[in-house]
């Protein structure tokens, strides 16, 4: 994945750099990416919509404002949710 990203950047910069500059940019880019994990975006909007719906369902079940929810509330909710899921 990192190599694909590097290639995309290099290809985009080809009209602006000579060969030596392009090679150096690729080297620096790869070195900079070494400390990062790179993944392709698989449609985060769907994930966010799912998370939002899940949180809203939990809030509806707990019948409390978010600022009043404590860890034990969430634990109880998840325990009940899991029970209902496997019944």
């Amino acid at each position: 994945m990192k190599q694909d990203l590097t290639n995309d950047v290099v290809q985009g910069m080809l009209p602006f750099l000579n060969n030596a500059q392009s090679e150096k940019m690729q080297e620096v880019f790869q070195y900079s990416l070494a400390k990062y994990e790179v993944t392709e975006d698989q449609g985060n909007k769907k994930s966010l919509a799912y998370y939002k719906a899940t949180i809203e369902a939990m809030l509806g079940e707990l019948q409390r404002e978010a600022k009043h929810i404590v860890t034990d509330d969430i634990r109880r909710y998840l325990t009940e949710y899991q029970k209902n899921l496997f019944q």
Side-chain angles (χ1 to χ4, degrees):
M1 183 57 60
K2 289 180 185 181
Q3 188 60 47
D4 291 341
L5 178 58
T6 300
N7 291 342
D8 288 347
V9 171
V10 169
Q11 289 294 318
M13 293 300 294
L14 280 177
F16 309 104
L17 304 173
N18 64 36
N19 286 341
Q21 291 170 326
S22 180
E23 288 176 12
K24 187 62 175 176
M25 185 195 64
Q26 183 172 354
E27 178 185 319
V28 170
F29 196 69
Q30 287 176 336
Y31 178 78
S32 298
L33 283 177
K35 60 185 173 186
Y36 296 98
E37 182 177 330
V38 177
T39 59
E40 188 173 1
D41 182 8
Q42 298 293 324
N44 288 336
K45 289 184 180 180
K46 290 180 182 178
S47 295
L48 292 176
Y50 171 76
Y51 295 147
K52 182 180 182 215
T54 301
I55 291 170
E56 287 173 346
M58 181 187 72
L59 290 173
E61 187 70 29
L62 294 176
Q63 297 181 347
R64 291 182 179 207
E65 290 184 40
K67 64 184 176 183
H68 295 164
I69 295 173
V70 296
T71 304
D72 285 340
D73 294 328
I74 297 171
R75 286 188 181 124
R76 277 192 299 276
Y77 171 77
L78 291 174
T79 300
E80 288 300 315
Y81 178 83
Q82 190 173 18
K83 283 181 189 176
N84 294 333
L85 191 64
F86 294 110
Q87 284 183 349

